[in-house]
Amino acid sequence: MLILNVNRFIYYIYSMNHQRCSSELAVPIVKMKVLFVCIGNTCRSPMAEAILKHLVVKRNLQDWYVDSAGLRSWNVGLEPQARGQQLLKQHGLKTNHLGRMISAQDFYDFDYIFAMDNSNLLELEHMAAWLVPSPTCKIQLLGSYIGRKEDEIIEDPYFSEGMGGFNAAYLQILESCERFLQHYNSDENNVSLGSQ
């Protein structure tokens, strides 16, 4: 418990001193803001960002902002992993994302923060619990939208050989994002009907 509290304190001090001040990095005021998070912001979360951005445009959804971030500083300022970029290109997608770490402000700026695995989820929940005032964003496993327990964890393909791990992650992310948009549209329709 002491170690966890110390880690929370270190994170809190770090994030408070590393807020995004540049206007080009500021999150715009839009209808829906989604942030994908994995450990290093080089494989899973940049792919998820590119996939959801593509789906949002394809569905002509207005006023959406999509981004990704990492829990560690390993890849800050770097392009996503080459195999991930190659796979996105094969599917007609691309990314110009540069790695960054999640900050305390992200918990207030985004409506949804999606973790790729249980470790990511637990760490994000601990971070949010330390913040005052309590953020209102929804912190969830992205894979939970698939609806199959065996597929809700999107494994990190970084240490896998070849493209197999990246292909598996891509398919899970794609299905998760499609299901999330279906869920979101369903909620929107219910709200519209309730307001009539």
Side-chain angles (χ1 to χ4, degrees):
M1 182 62 71
L2 177 60
I3 294 174
L4 179 58
N5 287 337
V6 170
N7 285 340
R8 285 182 181 180
F9 179 75
I10 291 172
Y11 165 76
Y12 182 77
I13 295 301
Y14 175 88
S15 58
M16 287 298 104
N17 287 302
H18 290 75
Q19 296 301 323
R20 294 173 295 160
C21 298
S22 169
S23 60
E24 68 176 354
L25 292 178
V27 175
I29 299 174
V30 293
K31 184 177 182 180
M32 175 58 65
K33 292 158 286 185
V34 178
L35 180 69
F36 296 103
V37 177
C38 64
I39 188 71
N41 195 213
T42 191
C43 297
R44 295 169 291 176
S45 56
M47 281 201 298
E49 176 189 342
I51 289 169
L52 185 60
K53 282 181 174 179
H54 170 73
L55 293 175
V56 165
V57 171
K58 184 178 178 180
R59 287 162 171 72
N60 196 31
L61 297 174
Q62 302 298 317
D63 291 332
W64 279 58
Y65 180 78
V66 183
D67 196 6
S68 64
L71 293 165
R72 302 292 183 271
S73 61
W74 306 325
N75 302 299
V76 171
L78 302 179
E79 292 185 359
Q81 222 275 341
R83 285 174 292 171
Q85 292 196 62
Q86 178 184 339
L87 183 58
L88 289 173
K89 187 175 181 179
Q90 289 175 4
H91 290 278
L93 308 179
K94 62 180 181 179
T95 176
N96 58 2
H97 181 80
L98 296 178
R100 74 172 183 88
M101 275 187 73
I102 192 170
S103 72
Q105 188 61 41
D106 288 326
F107 290 89
Y108 300 103
D109 286 344
F110 288 88
D111 301 298
Y112 284 86
I113 298 181
F114 286 125
M116 299 294 148
D117 57 42
N118 283 325
S119 177
N120 301 160
L121 181 65
L122 183 61
E123 192 163 343
L124 289 167
E125 289 174 340
H126 284 161
M127 291 175 178
W130 189 246
L131 296 175
V132 178
S134 297
T136 60
C137 62
K138 295 181 180 179
I139 302 172
Q140 301 174 337
L141 272 177
L142 176 61
S144 66
Y145 283 87
I146 293 179
R148 299 185 301 272
K149 192 71 176 177
E150 66 273 18
D151 289 327
E152 71 177 16
I153 301 301
I154 301 172
E155 300 289 350
D156 190 350
Y158 184 83
F159 293 105
S160 64
E161 295 185 8
M163 297 296 293
F166 280 85
N167 280 312
Y170 177 91
L171 292 174
Q172 285 177 278
I173 292 169
L174 176 61
E175 184 175 359
S176 299
C177 288
E178 289 176 335
R179 296 288 183 89
F180 167 66
L181 289 176
Q182 291 171 7
H183 174 82
Y184 174 80
N185 288 335
S186 176
D187 282 353
E188 282 285 282
N189 291 336
N190 288 337
V191 169
S192 298
L193 289 172
S195 64
Q196 291 178 358

